[in-house]
Amino acid sequence: MDVNSHMRMGHPLVFSLIIFCSIIELSISAWLTSRFTAYHNYFSLAERDRTRFLLFTSAWTIVFSSLYMFFFYFPDSALGGIVFHIFFLLLTWLFWTAGATSITTALSGELNRKLVTSYYSSLTSYLLSTPSAFAYPVQLNALQGFAWVTEALVTFALLAVLIRGIIATRRGHGIRGSLIT
């Protein structure tokens, strides 16, 4: 298989996975944002603000990834080209990297199993002595996990488009050309 065949099969698959994970991330962050707004039970302002940033990032990714999936099938359009894909994916990668690292920092740097265990501790007297500092530890851990998964998918897509751009430039097509020929 040549590069075009891989790109024709891989682009919709990777972008669909990115959109799928972003929808999950949007759902979690929207639910957490609504709870934080209604009950003011966030652990810190950083936790609240970083959850809102991930809400924005996931909405951004859903809208623009859908557009780029659409324009991929029109290789003659400028938005279906390599340069615009690199620009969009680089900006999206910066958003996801910033969001994932910031929520990880707000949650003390790891998926905290003790917090999740203490969330379900109503039946265990041993764990009742170690209450959770966070109001929604399961949802916050899911928010963090899906942020890193989406960041990894966007990184993969960015690398694939960069490699395609290098190949196109070496063949004389230039970086302004389309992803598929």
Side-chain angles (χ1 to χ4, degrees), residues 47-86:
E47 178 188 11
R48 182 199 67 186
D49 294 342
R50 291 164 185 180
T51 301
R52 288 180 179 175
F53 180 71
L54 283 172
L55 178 65
F56 160 76
T57 302
S58 55
W60 161 276
T61 304
I62 291 167
V63 169
F64 285 102
S65 291
S66 299
L67 284 173
Y68 274 89
M69 264 185 77
F70 175 75
F71 283 113
F72 174 73
Y73 294 106
F74 299 102
D76 295 335
S77 73
L79 291 176
I82 296 171
V83 172
F84 284 101
H85 269 80
I86 290 173

Side-chain angles (χ1 to χ4, degrees), residues 1-179:
M1 292 179 97
D2 64 337
V3 177
N4 283 329
S5 299
H6 287 294
M7 204 46 96
R8 285 182 199 274
M9 288 177 18
H11 186 280
L13 177 69
V14 171
F15 272 71
S16 296
L17 286 171
I18 289 171
I19 291 169
F20 177 71
C21 289
S22 295
I23 289 171
I24 294 171
E25 187 78 9
L26 179 81
S27 302
I28 296 168
S29 58
W31 185 84
L32 283 168
T33 300
S34 72
R35 294 295 175 172
F36 291 160
T37 303
Y39 301 115
H40 304 287
N41 58 351
Y42 41 86
F43 180 68
S44 65
L45 290 176
E47 178 188 11
R48 182 199 67 186
D49 294 342
R50 291 164 185 180
T51 301
R52 288 180 179 175
F53 180 71
L54 283 172
L55 178 65
F56 160 76
T57 302
S58 55
W60 161 276
T61 304
I62 291 167
V63 169
F64 285 102
S65 291
S66 299
L67 284 173
Y68 274 89
M69 264 185 77
F70 175 75
F71 283 113
F72 174 73
Y73 294 106
F74 299 102
D76 295 335
S77 73
L79 291 176
I82 296 171
V83 172
F84 284 101
H85 269 80
I86 290 173
F87 175 74
F88 158 71
L89 287 170
L90 185 62
L91 192 57
T92 304
W93 180 82
L94 288 172
F95 286 161
W96 279 111
T97 303
T101 46
S102 66
I103 198 67
T104 301
T105 303
L107 297 177
S108 304
E110 63 183 26
L111 288 175
N112 199 332
R113 291 189 180 132
K114 181 178 178 183
L115 295 179
V116 174
T117 307
S118 66
Y119 184 73
Y120 293 109
S121 65
S122 60
L123 300 176
T124 308
S125 61
Y126 171 73
L127 293 173
L128 285 175
S129 62
T130 58
S132 174
F134 298 98
Y136 308 104
V138 175
Q139 291 83 359
L140 287 168
N141 281 340
L143 183 76
Q144 178 186 356
F146 276 103
W148 283 112
V149 167
T150 310
E151 192 268 348
L153 288 169
V154 172
T155 301
F156 174 74
L158 178 62
L159 289 175
V161 171
L162 283 172
I163 290 169
R164 178 65 177 131
I166 291 169
I167 291 171
T169 302
R170 286 188 176 183
R171 289 188 177 169
H173 298 290
I175 200 163
R176 292 186 180 165
S178 66
L179 281 173

